[in-house]
Amino acid sequence: MRCFIILLALGWNGALFAQMGTPVGNDLDPVPLTETELKEIFLGNKSIWDNNNPVTVVLTSSDSEGFAKVAGWALEAGAFEFQKHWLSIVFQGRANAPVFLNSEEEVLAYIRGHKGAIGLLYTLPVPPELTVETP
Amino acid sequence: MFGHFTANVELENDEQFSELSMGEHDFFVQSKVTPRISFLSETIVAPVSDDHHGGADFRVSIERARLKYQYSEWLSVIVGKMHTPVNYWNDVYHHGRLFFPTIDRPRAFGSHVPIHTLGLRLQGQNIGKLKFGYDLVIGNGMSANDISDNNFQKSVTAAVHIKPEKQTRISISAYRDVLFENKGGSHSGHASSGHLTMGEEGWLPVDLDYELYCFSLYRNKGKWEILTEFTLNRTKLASSNDAELIASLGNPDATANTTTYLYAGRKLGNRNSLYVLGDRIRTQTQDFHMKSNDLLKVGIGWQHEFSALVKTQIQAERYTGRDGFEIPADDKWELKVRLAYCLY
């Protein structure tokens, strides 16, 4: 019973289970990217790649499971806090707004068509041409 | 669009007041024009300011309109009307009441902080492990408005910050300007009754050197969120004044006026928090620009966030202070309820 309660509590806070998804990107530089560097990107702390492509963060919608997973991994908080974080830094004028899409299929399609775009996949396989190397 | 509604009950000198008000509605736009150039604007529709937010009288104001060219992480060039990045509140929240940790802005906002600058800004951010950032702004000063500045003098803002951890920012800044003929224009934000204005006893049409130094600390970690804002303002007669006039006023020293704002919130679960606040302003007697005062506000509040885009706050406040200054000590209680929201 105690284990069940602990598991329930952990499950309630998705952040504790959060793992990085598989990064996908189009014409990023530099690569490979460490997990720490990827976190900074998904927190809005990087805006230009070394090859001069703009960083465009692509996420699934704020009520999706994927968004909550990215939130837990990058901010170590829930989707709610992650949404507030992005809203705040865009309002400050210190970051460009991320692109929100309805599904991982749409995320992949967007990244395929936009240089500098980066996202995380949790369910779909990553096409080789969009693979982001990690150490 | 950001907006808010507020209800207020006030008890002052055994008299009671109450009001419901619709606050400013802020139309926010951010757009990427090219991969490196972005545009940001805020246009507000606000009730015309008076003590009772009268009638259906509204004004429209462009509060921000700026183009940003990003060369690299360490250099962006921004041109236009912007929030002067002197402290955390003005840089991060300003009209975004959804983000306000307390219902009211700090008192420094309406007294010392030059809220807008129209000009040129160099900006760098997220540099190195400490995520160092800087902002250097040159623009129309506090005597100017959005279309003109009838002097060569420009205001200068220099601000630096570090973000040593996620959701933590420590910043310091310095601001300098000359207030010509002791007039505050639309960028000063100095519209409160705490300022000496033409025709009032004590007001003199002198040029004033205006300096402001700010320190801010914001941290949101675990269950606790804190924000501290401290400002030191020094005002003195500028060298552009007639020497005889300066001598006749007794060569006064620069004043040293301070404001201190403290907020600490404790999260209760995912959507609720309980918080306390303190806000003190002290202005010296010999200041030529502001009326002297020593005022204190303390409060306690509760916040509930329905979602990331809608929240409510209820706040009880006690206003007090010390007598013996041009602005008498407050002696009142207020209870406020705020509903703030964002639609996009």
Side-chain angles (χ1 to χ4, degrees):
Chain A
M1 182 63 184
R2 185 176 293 175
C3 282
F4 174 75
I5 292 170
I6 291 169
L7 285 172
L8 193 66
L10 288 171
W12 190 261
N13 185 352
L16 295 178
F17 279 138
Q19 288 187 335
M20 185 177 79
T22 310
V24 282
N26 184 349
D27 198 12
L28 314 184
D29 180 33
V31 282
L33 291 166
T34 65
E35 185 170 349
T36 304
E37 288 169 330
L38 284 162
K39 277 187 182 180
E40 295 299 332
I41 291 163
F42 283 88
L43 290 173
N45 291 334
K46 185 174 180 68
S47 46
I48 298 277
W49 298 107
D50 286 359
N51 60 9
N52 290 329
N53 285 329
V55 174
T56 305
V57 174
V58 188
L59 300 164
T60 50
S61 60
S62 58
D63 56 357
S64 68
E65 195 178 331
F67 184 85
K69 286 178 176 171
V70 179
W73 163 73
L75 192 62
E76 294 166 19
F80 179 67
E81 290 290 333
F82 195 47
Q83 191 182 1
K84 286 200 303 181
H85 168 80
W86 269 104
L87 196 60
S88 175
I89 58 173
V90 171
F91 184 73
Q92 291 167 45
R94 291 187 177 272
N96 288 316
V99 173
F100 289 100
L101 297 167
N102 289 323
S103 65
E104 290 197 351
E105 285 84 359
E106 289 185 18
V107 169
L108 262 184
Y110 184 92
I111 290 171
R112 199 184 300 278
H114 293 83
K115 289 186 174 180
I118 184 168
L120 289 172
L121 298 182
Y122 285 90
T123 56
L124 290 182
V126 178
E129 69 277 14
L130 299 180
T131 298
V132 176
E133 287 179 51
T134 53
Chain B
M1 182 194 74
F2 293 85
H4 67 101
F5 295 101
T6 305
N8 187 24
V9 178
E10 189 176 318
L11 176 63
E12 183 173 15
N13 299 327
D14 297 328
E15 288 190 79
Q16 295 169 12
F17 307 93
S18 68
E19 64 182 4
L20 298 166
S21 65
M22 180 169 63
E24 63 191 18
H25 279 59
D26 176 7
F27 296 86
F28 176 78
V29 173
Q30 197 230 23
S31 173
K32 211 191 277 187
V33 183
T34 72
R36 284 180 182 273
I37 297 176
S38 60
F39 175 76
L40 183 155
S41 81
E42 271 185 279
T43 303
I44 64 157
V45 178
V48 172
S49 294
D50 65 27
D51 287 346
H52 303 288
H53 283 185
D57 221 359
F58 289 87
R59 66 184 172 90
V60 177
S61 171
I62 297 174
E63 295 289 310
R64 279 196 287 180
R66 44 169 255 190
L67 272 169
K68 177 177 178 177
Y69 173 79
Q70 178 142 26
Y71 175 73
S72 69
E73 301 295 344
W74 55 269
L75 180 62
S76 293
V77 181
I78 300 170
V79 177
K81 184 177 178 182
M82 60 200 81
H83 297 153
T84 318
V86 286
N87 66 358
Y88 190 84
W89 195 288
N90 206 40
D91 192 39
V92 174
Y93 304 141
H94 203 104
H95 297 288
R97 279 177 170 75
L98 181 70
F99 307 120
F100 283 19
T102 55
I103 289 179
D104 297 324
R105 292 163 168 146
R107 279 178 147 154
F109 202 86
S111 59
H112 295 72
V113 171
I115 56 177
H116 293 116
T117 302
L118 177 59
L120 173 74
R121 176 173 176 174
L122 304 180
Q123 181 182 74
Q125 53 182 356
N126 301 311
I127 301 166
K129 283 188 177 174
L130 286 176
K131 297 189 181 62
F132 172 80
Y134 72 88
D135 290 278
L136 179 65
V137 186
I138 297 173
N140 283 357
M142 290 157 60
S143 298
N145 58 40
D146 290 337
I147 55 172
S148 69
D149 188 10
N150 56 2
N151 58 74
F152 186 71
Q153 157 74 34
K154 291 288 162 280
S155 68
V156 178
T157 308
V160 294
H161 68 257
I162 55 170
K163 296 190 286 184
E165 285 186 38
K166 270 180 270 197
Q167 306 205 76
T168 299
R169 183 171 130 173
I170 304 165
S171 55
I172 56 171
S173 73
Y175 174 90
R176 187 185 183 282
D177 192 22
V178 177
L179 277 165
F180 287 96
E181 297 182 346
N182 200 1
K183 283 193 296 192
S186 60
H187 293 165
S188 68
H190 293 188
S192 75
S193 57
H195 293 83
L196 292 162
T197 52
M198 190 186 295
E200 274 190 300
E201 187 183 344
W203 181 83
L204 289 172
V206 289
D207 298 344
L208 297 171
D209 281 339
Y210 188 92
E211 296 172 6
L212 182 72
Y213 304 93
C214 302
F215 168 81
S216 302
L217 165 65
Y218 174 79
R219 184 169 167 80
N220 182 358
K221 189 167 176 88
K223 296 282 184 191
W224 289 94
E225 181 182 32
I226 58 164
L227 174 61
T228 302
E229 303 265 36
F230 176 78
T231 72
L232 167 65
N233 155 235
R234 289 167 58 81
T235 304
K236 65 179 180 184
L237 291 169
S239 57
S240 55
N241 289 296
D242 183 74
E244 285 183 16
L245 173 68
I246 295 176
S248 71
L249 293 170
N251 286 310
D253 292 331
T255 52
N257 309 315
T258 59
T259 64
T260 307
Y261 169 87
L262 300 166
Y263 156 84
R266 174 77 161 81
K267 290 171 195 156
L268 307 169
N270 226 2
R271 302 289 173 98
N272 297 288
S273 62
L274 191 64
Y275 61 86
V276 292
L277 68 106
D279 196 354
R280 186 175 192 188
I281 181 168
R282 301 173 78 183
T283 306
Q284 291 188 317
T285 308
Q286 71 271 28
D287 197 274
F288 287 103
H289 182 55
M290 283 180 274
K291 295 175 186 172
S292 61
N293 59 56
D294 189 348
L295 303 172
L296 175 68
K297 177 170 94 174
V298 292
I300 184 167
W302 170 76
Q303 171 176 287
H304 175 76
E305 295 174 288
F306 297 100
S307 78
L309 304 178
V310 186
K311 78 173 183 184
T312 189
Q313 290 162 297
I314 181 166
Q315 193 170 299
E317 301 167 344
R318 168 71 176 139
Y319 290 76
T320 181
R322 285 202 305 143
D323 275 322
F325 299 93
E326 287 166 292
I327 298 177
D330 287 323
D331 181 14
K332 65 178 179 181
W333 295 85
E334 285 193 4
L335 180 67
K336 293 173 178 156
V337 181
R338 157 77 47 85
L339 183 67
Y341 47 88
C342 169
L343 308 173
Y344 72 90

